[in-house]
Amino acid sequence: MALSPRNLLGGLLIVAMAVLLFAAGSIVGAPSASALPPGTPSKATAQSELNSLSVRSQESMTGYSRDKFPHWITISGTCNTRETVLKRDADSITVGADCYPTAGRWYSYYDGAVWYQASDLDIDHIVPLAEAWRSGASHWTTSKRQAFANDLNGPQLIAVTDDVNQAKGDQDPSTWQPPRSGARCAYAKWWIHTKYRWGLHLQSSEKSALQSMLNSCSY
C-alpha cells in the first residue's frame, strides 16, 4: 500500500529526530580536545627527540624536596597554576571569585573517567618532580625548577583522576603507564617532549619503554 504524503512526511520527521538524538548522545560522552595539554609533538618529532636524549644512570635523590620546585604559583589574578590547568582542561566550568572551580566537567585522559568536582582531580606533572631531580634538575637553580613545576607552555601538566595520579607517584614509564591503553601513545610523546625541552636525561629501561609506547602511535 502506498503511503500518503502526510504519513510519508511523518515518517521522515521521526527518522530525522532519531538521527539528531543519536548525534547528541554521541557528543555528550565525548572528551573535549581541551583534555589534552598543549604542545603534543608528532610521532616523527617525538622519535627524533627520543633519539637525541642522553641515556645515563639515575642520579641520587640526596637533597630532594618538593619545596625545591615551588608550586603552585600565581598565574593571573587570583588563579594559581592548579586552577589554571583545571580551567584549561574542563569541558565546562564555573569558578568562584577566588578562581576555585565550584562546578565543572572533566575527562581524565589516563583512565577515561569523568568527574564533576575539582576535588576528585590532581594536576599531574607528566615528568614527576622527583624524576626530574634524578634526571638533571638537581643541578638547576630554584627559579628554573619553579618554571618546570608550573610549565603551562608544554605538555607537562594535566588534570587527571587523583587516585590514578597517586598510583603513578614518581615512577617513569618503565614501571608505570596510564591504565587506559589508548592514552599511552600521547603520554609517551608528552614525556619525551618534556624531557627534551628541559634537557633532562633518560635511563636505558625508561627509553625502551618509551620506544615501545611510541611504536603504538599511528601518527
Side-chain angles (χ1 to χ4, degrees):
M1 179 185 294
L3 293 174
S4 68
R6 181 177 179 179
N7 288 340
L8 180 60
L9 178 59
L12 290 173
L13 287 172
I14 290 172
V15 171
M17 289 178 66
V19 169
L20 288 172
L21 287 171
F22 176 81
S26 298
I27 292 170
V28 167
S32 164
S34 63
L36 304 180
T40 303
S42 66
K43 179 179 181 179
T45 296
Q47 184 65 68
S48 176
E49 292 174 349
L50 179 61
N51 293 343
S52 71
L53 288 172
S54 176
V55 177
R56 306 179 199 167
S57 298
Q58 282 191 338
E59 297 181 21
S60 170
M61 285 293 289
T62 300
Y64 170 74
S65 167
R66 287 179 66 86
D67 292 340
K68 294 185 177 181
F69 293 80
H71 65 289
W72 306 111
I73 62 172
T74 300
I75 298 298
S76 176
T78 60
C79 299
N80 64 23
T81 312
R82 171 180 164 81
E83 292 158 346
T84 300
V85 175
L86 286 171
K87 289 172 68 176
R88 184 199 70 191
D89 289 1
D91 294 330
S92 62
I93 192 169
T94 302
V95 300
D98 60 355
C99 199
Y100 190 80
T102 56
R105 181 186 186 278
W106 291 268
Y107 174 79
S108 173
Y109 192 74
Y110 288 177
D111 57 340
V114 175
W115 301 102
Y116 297 90
Q117 298 292 330
S119 58
D120 291 318
L121 298 151
D122 279 353
I123 305 305
D124 179 44
H125 289 95
I126 301 294
V127 175
L129 304 182
E131 167 63 22
W133 181 270
R134 295 189 294 260
S135 304
S138 62
H139 307 293
W140 294 352
T141 63
T142 300
S143 177
K144 184 172 181 178
R145 287 193 290 264
Q146 175 177 293
F148 176 82
N150 298 277
D151 181 10
L152 294 167
N153 296 317
Q156 165 63 347
L157 300 172
I158 187 172
V160 297
T161 302
D162 53 4
D163 290 346
V164 173
N165 182 54
Q166 290 156 26
K168 171 187 172 180
D170 66 351
Q171 298 178 80
D172 71 41
S174 68
T175 55
W176 188 93
Q177 297 175 13
R180 188 175 72 83
S181 60
R184 293 171 190 168
C185 165
Y187 185 75
K189 291 178 178 180
W190 298 337
W191 185 285
I192 292 165
H193 194 52
T194 297
K195 284 214 161 178
Y196 178 82
R197 289 178 65 241
W198 288 92
L200 297 170
H201 57 75
L202 300 168
Q203 284 183 281
S204 178
S205 59
E206 175 189 352
K207 183 174 183 177
S208 295
L210 287 166
Q211 185 64 69
S212 295
M213 295 165 74
L214 194 59
N215 289 343
S216 73
C217 300
S218 56
Y219 57 89

